[in-house]
Amino acid sequence: METTSKTFKYFVETFGCQMNERDSETIEGLLLAKGFSPAETVQEADVVVVNTCAVRESAESKVWSRIGEIAASSIDKKPPVIVLAGCMAQIPENIERIKTQAPYVRVATGPGYIHHIPDLVERALSDPTERLLLAVSPTRTGACRDESAQTLPEGLPRKKVQGPSAYVNIMYGCDNFCTYCIVPFVRGPQVSRKPQDIIEEAKSLVEHGCCEIILLGQNVNAYGLDLDGNYYFADLLKDLDEIKGIERIRYFTSHPAYFSKEIVDVIKETKHVCEHFHLPVQSGSNRILKLMNRKYTQEEYLELTSYIRKQIPDASITTDIIVGFPSETDEDFRDTLTLVEKVRFDGAFTFIFSPRSRTAAARMKEQLPRELKSERLQELVAVQHGITRSINSSLLGTVQEVLIEGPDKRYPQYSRGRTRTNKLVVCTATNLEPGDMVNVKIEETGTWYLKGPLHS
Ligand code: SAH
Ligand code: SF4
Ligand code: F3S
């Protein structure tokens, strides 16, 4: 198979969070190592891997329609082998749907099995009668802690990282069971990688030219709690900070209940850990936070964010918020708006509650009507945008250190990059390369960006 597969071309499409982006790099690395080559477009691919997200119904719908489109676009030629990879593949109803409605999907693999993709794809390519090749674990229930099936082996190849930033997984899975969330079901229990494996990977990335390391986990602050040994997230940050050549360290996602003041202090002391705190609050109402099983109150959240502001005044704080959780009253929603105004987030990802099968919240009575949820979302977005614009405009005239990522999408003649606080900056210089660290004088600001020339 090794020799014939050399002619096969693959295309990978990624939906969902940074973890899926990181997994897609491994999927590409594995296919390249097997002798596959990248296709320029889906149309010329023999294999199309769709790495999927199941976090909201809208995320799943996007994938189903995209898969339909891929199948339809190959109507006049031999259809590609479509691989449904990622979180959607862990859900039995989705596997049933493929069997009955999506015959063009020939392989399905959950996130803990992506290293099986090349073999399954080769089987599917060599035998068109093979119907659906599966590598998924039974969906997790509270009782099933299928760790071996959810963590990836160490040392898998990865596609060469483009640009100055690289993702590094520090843990897999999640143990929190926030009542709205499907992630613990599809990604399994929390398993931390060994500190040495993480540090070695980061060192090797820096040796190969990356200067920004982005640590990934569903609850990075809980890193190490499942390992034997007294080594936790703050220790990891301190050790990574020492790596020669590293310029910036970021991490996603934090959980407010596990974000200790010690971690804030370490971030203040270390040189390279960026002053950006993404702390998903989800709701400002204590009643709803309890129903969500978030394990903190509005008061505790405010105490944490005030501590951050006191210790690191220039830090940015961003968040995720869900509106329309079952039984959310107008008063609960007002609590969220009040919290947003008190914290003054630099930015927020805002979502309408989407019931997910198997989660406790999907079974709760008092699901809210779609219209009410949309109205609340609009109101929240308007308030948050106002705050974001006002914070960004307060940066007019300042000089920001920016790590250049590449050409800007809207103004391709210019470059774009990020501040340490994770704000997007368009720099109007035309001679910059990805990886350049430059100072930019901010002369224009909007909701999504800051803009200006180089400052010498
Ligand atoms: N582990 C991260 C986030 C994972 S999912 C954390 O704990 O914050 C990313 C975001 O999607 C969540 O923060 C939440 O705001 C949103 N989300 C998750 N499940 C959702 C659902 N069922 N409906 C709407 N939004 C949801
Ligand atoms: Fe989902 Fe909660 Fe885990 Fe985040 S911490 S992945 S929201 S269960
Ligand atoms: Fe989506 Fe899976 Fe990430 S459900 S948000 S791709 S962990």
Side-chain angles (χ1 to χ4, degrees):
M1 208 54 219
E2 202 74 4
T3 45
T4 51
S5 62
K6 284 207 174 5
T7 53
F8 289 124
K9 291 192 165 181
Y10 72 84
F11 196 89
V12 178
E13 279 198 22
T14 310
F15 294 81
C17 65
Q18 291 106 329
M19 269 179 216
N20 265 14
E21 286 178 34
R22 172 68 191 90
D23 288 346
S24 288
E25 291 176 1
T26 300
I27 294 171
E28 289 207 43
L30 288 158
L31 289 169
L32 288 166
K34 269 275 182 182
F36 287 73
S37 58
E40 295 282 322
T41 61
V42 166
Q43 279 67 30
E44 65 172 55
D46 304 290
V47 180
V48 180
V49 181
V50 187
N51 197 5
T52 63
C53 172
V55 79
R56 281 169 292 276
E57 195 186 339
S58 54
E60 289 205 350
S61 310
K62 259 194 240 159
V63 168
W64 289 122
S65 59
R66 183 63 190 133
I67 288 176
E69 261 171 38
I70 297 169
S73 72
S74 63
I75 216 119
D76 300 327
K77 66 177 194 51
K78 193 165 164 266
V81 166
I82 299 180
V83 180
L84 186 92
C87 297
M88 275 175 74
Q90 284 294 138
I91 301 171
E93 291 88 323
N94 289 337
I95 301 297
E96 283 311 305
R97 179 162 170 181
I98 295 170
K99 284 185 187 153
T100 54
Q101 294 172 37
Y104 29 87
V105 176
R106 306 267 315 283
V107 176
T109 51
Y113 296 87
I114 53 177
H115 46 303
H116 296 295
I117 288 179
D119 287 344
L120 294 174
V121 162
E122 285 188 337
R123 273 174 57 195
L125 284 167
S126 63
D127 181 359
T129 62
E130 289 260 33
R131 175 56 193 93
L132 177 63
L133 296 153
L134 290 175
V136 292
S137 82
T139 297
R140 184 185 184 204
T141 64
C144 159
R145 298 178 64 81
D146 183 8
E147 294 186 9
S148 60
Q150 298 291 353
T151 58
L152 293 174
E154 289 297 330
L156 293 177
R158 120 191 243 172
K159 186 192 162 200
K160 193 174 174 327
V161 175
Q162 311 283 327
S165 308
Y167 292 128
V168 174
N169 282 323
I170 66 168
M171 69 212 299
Y172 301 102
C174 179
D175 283 337
N176 279 309
F177 289 98
C178 302
T179 54
Y180 50 80
C181 184
I182 200 161
V183 172
F185 297 91
V186 292
R187 288 262 171 181
Q190 173 173 326
V191 180
S192 298
R193 285 179 72 202
K194 293 198 184 69
Q196 216 42 47
D197 290 335
I198 298 169
I199 294 165
E200 288 307 320
E201 184 178 341
K203 274 189 185 155
S204 143
L205 286 160
V206 173
E207 274 158 25
H208 286 89
C210 294
C211 62
E212 179 176 70
I213 297 295
I214 305 174
L215 308 174
L216 299 183
Q218 291 298 348
N219 181 5
V220 289
N221 324 109
Y223 173 77
L225 292 177
D226 55 300
L227 293 175
D228 299 331
N230 278 327
Y231 191 94
Y232 304 108
F233 187 58
D235 303 299
L236 185 65
L237 290 180
K238 281 192 246 172
D239 282 344
L240 291 169
D241 193 52
E242 300 289 317
I243 294 178
K244 217 168 154 257
I246 213 162
E247 296 279 356
R248 290 180 173 187
I249 300 167
R250 301 187 184 281
Y251 50 90
F252 294 104
T253 301
S254 303
H255 190 302
Y258 298 78
F259 209 110
S260 62
K261 289 184 176 168
E262 186 205 350
I263 300 179
V264 180
D265 296 343
V266 166
I267 293 170
K268 184 179 175 182
E269 284 155 26
T270 47
K271 186 153 179 254
H272 305 293
V273 183
C274 291
E275 298 77 22
H276 169 221
F277 295 79
H278 184 65
L279 281 169
V281 68
Q282 313 298 1
S283 169
S285 150
N286 284 340
R287 193 181 71 82
I288 296 292
L289 285 171
K290 195 147 196 261
L291 284 176
M292 287 177 162
N293 189 28
R294 284 296 283 181
K295 303 175 193 137
Y296 53 84
T297 59
Q298 177 212 102
E299 292 76 16
E300 285 161 346
Y301 187 90
L302 287 171
E303 195 190 324
L304 175 62
T305 47
S306 312
Y307 187 74
I308 293 170
R309 297 251 189 255
K310 194 174 109 222
Q311 292 296 321
I312 313 175
D314 289 339
S316 64
I317 303 181
T318 55
T319 200
D320 295 350
I321 298 172
I322 298 176
V323 299
F325 188 84
S327 84
E328 184 187 67
T329 61
D330 208 42
E331 198 188 331
D332 294 320
F333 176 60
R334 298 288 137 206
D335 285 348
T336 299
L337 292 178
T338 307
L339 180 123
V340 163
E341 273 160 353
K342 275 192 189 155
V343 179
R344 287 180 59 79
F345 292 109
D346 290 78
F349 295 108
T350 47
F351 308 104
I352 286 182
F353 169 73
S354 166
R356 310 308 293 138
S357 71
R358 284 175 185 73
T359 62
R363 295 190 297 270
M364 287 177 189
K365 304 224 167 53
E366 294 188 68
Q367 300 284 332
L368 301 191
R370 174 94 212 166
E371 260 169 41
L372 181 62
K373 295 198 259 189
S374 302
E375 275 167 26
R376 288 187 181 160
L377 184 78
Q378 277 176 26
E379 192 174 346
L380 174 63
V381 167
V383 170
Q384 180 54 51
H385 279 184
I387 297 171
T388 302
R389 273 196 300 273
S390 133
I391 295 179
N392 285 352
S393 67
S394 72
L395 297 172
L396 272 174
T398 62
V399 175
Q400 299 286 329
E401 182 199 273
V402 176
L403 173 61
I404 297 297
E405 292 166 5
D408 185 60
K409 287 191 188 119
R410 198 150 56 123
Y411 309 97
Q413 71 276 35
Y414 300 145
S415 293
R416 68 148 67 177
R418 281 177 194 275
T419 62
R420 283 178 68 99
T421 52
N422 210 33
K423 289 183 192 284
L424 192 69
V425 178
V426 178
C427 177
T428 55
T430 49
N431 55 349
L432 298 176
E433 297 290 332
D436 286 348
M437 191 73 84
V438 294
N439 286 326
V440 177
K441 174 101 187 278
I442 305 305
E443 292 186 346
E444 187 185 319
T445 65
T447 317
W448 306 111
Y449 71 100
L450 313 173
K451 191 171 164 201
L454 279 181
H455 177 80
S456 43

